[in-house]
Amino acid sequence: MNSLMLGQAMLFGIIIIFFGFIIVREKVPSIKSKTVEEDINTYYEENYKGLDVSRGDLKYSKDDNSYSITYYNKDYEELNFAITSINNKITDNYKENYVKGKEVLRNASKEVLDKYKEIFKNTNFQNIKIEFKDLDKYSKAEAIDILEGNIYNTGYYSVSYYVKVDSLDDVYLNNLINSFNSIALSNGLNTNNYSVTFDNNGIIKIVEGGDFNE
């Protein structure tokens, strides 16, 4: 009887240790990281092996218990994408971040917008917004310009803004647009792609120019 009880106790102990190991392996990053890194490397080899990129280190985020490796364009480090593992499910943001350049264009938009806001902060031109197309919609030369920061005096982005007016007369509105463009150009900013919302006591007129969406 004692032998039977001892055997059962040992079996129970082994089961506890086994499941305890599994739980710890799932919860402790340093234990799990090697397996996750292998999984991410396999995912990369199966999907993006031919890319000319450099590989970052495996990173762990305790916020969502995720692991990720970032891959960088060798010429432009800000152009990158990450392969992420959360709960053993692997995903990547290659299309959004590397092909469409989401993060690159977000930063470019902010840089251009900051300049516009500074220049027009004490004027009637309000609610200025800047929009770039997806990076893959530009030619190779244009994309390189954007990656190298040549973004201010170009047609690579569209600018939109709002103006309260006393009249919707076409000549008057065109003069306002020309005034905006002249101020921008004198400060190193320029684009032919624009959308202006004129507001005459609630009566709205939108004037657009350029071929940004074509």
Side-chain angles (χ1 to χ4, degrees):
M1 179 64 72
N2 290 337
S3 297
L4 179 60
M5 291 180 63
L6 180 61
Q8 290 177 336
M10 290 179 63
L11 178 61
F12 184 68
I14 292 172
I15 292 173
I16 291 176
I17 293 173
F18 176 74
F19 283 104
F21 175 77
I22 292 176
I23 292 172
V24 170
R25 185 174 180 274
E26 291 295 322
K27 297 298 183 181
V28 180
S30 60
I31 296 177
K32 188 180 179 181
S33 60
K34 185 175 181 179
T35 301
V36 173
E37 187 167 9
E38 291 174 353
D39 291 342
I40 291 177
N41 287 339
T42 298
Y43 182 93
Y44 172 82
E45 289 293 319
E46 291 176 349
N47 294 277
Y48 304 114
K49 183 178 180 180
L51 286 180
D52 187 22
V53 294
S54 58
R55 177 188 183 278
D57 296 326
L58 179 72
K59 293 184 178 180
Y60 172 72
S61 173
K62 62 182 179 181
D63 293 337
D64 56 1
N65 193 33
S66 68
Y67 301 79
S68 65
I69 296 177
T70 301
Y71 298 84
Y72 301 89
N73 181 285
K74 290 186 176 180
D75 294 319
Y76 305 100
E77 190 172 285
E78 67 274 20
L79 184 62
N80 56 69
F81 70 98
I83 298 177
T84 303
S85 175
I86 303 179
N87 298 325
N88 297 319
K89 180 179 180 181
I90 298 181
T91 60
D92 69 74
N93 60 2
Y94 169 77
K95 185 173 181 180
E96 288 298 314
N97 244 40
Y98 202 81
V99 177
K100 295 183 178 181
K102 182 179 178 181
E103 290 299 322
V104 168
L105 297 177
R106 178 181 295 167
N107 292 333
S109 297
K110 183 181 183 304
E111 290 181 18
V112 174
L113 180 59
D114 285 347
K115 288 185 177 290
Y116 271 97
K117 283 184 174 180
E118 177 63 26
I119 293 167
F120 292 99
K121 62 182 179 181
N122 296 319
T123 70
N124 292 327
F125 301 107
Q126 303 173 2
N127 196 27
I128 300 174
K129 296 179 181 179
I130 300 297
E131 180 185 0
F132 283 81
K133 296 181 290 189
D134 292 339
L135 195 62
D136 59 333
K137 298 291 181 64
Y138 296 97
S139 69
K140 184 176 181 179
E142 291 170 339
I144 290 174
D145 262 352
I146 293 170
L147 289 167
E148 293 183 348
N150 302 321
I151 52 179
Y152 303 107
N153 187 13
T154 70
Y156 300 157
Y157 62 89
S158 175
V159 59
S160 63
Y161 51 94
Y162 169 92
V163 191
K164 284 188 176 182
V165 293
D166 298 323
S167 168
L168 293 177
D169 175 73
D170 287 341
V171 174
Y172 172 57
L173 300 186
N174 284 334
N175 285 338
L176 286 174
I177 293 173
N178 290 334
S179 176
F180 181 93
N181 292 341
S182 177
I183 294 171
L185 184 59
S186 67
N187 286 275
L189 297 170
N190 187 42
T191 178
N192 293 322
N193 305 302
Y194 61 85
S195 176
V196 189
T197 300
F198 294 106
D199 182 353
N200 179 21
N201 295 318
I203 301 175
I204 302 297
K205 183 172 183 177
I206 298 176
V207 179
E208 297 180 335
D211 57 357
F212 185 74
N213 294 315
E214 292 185 1

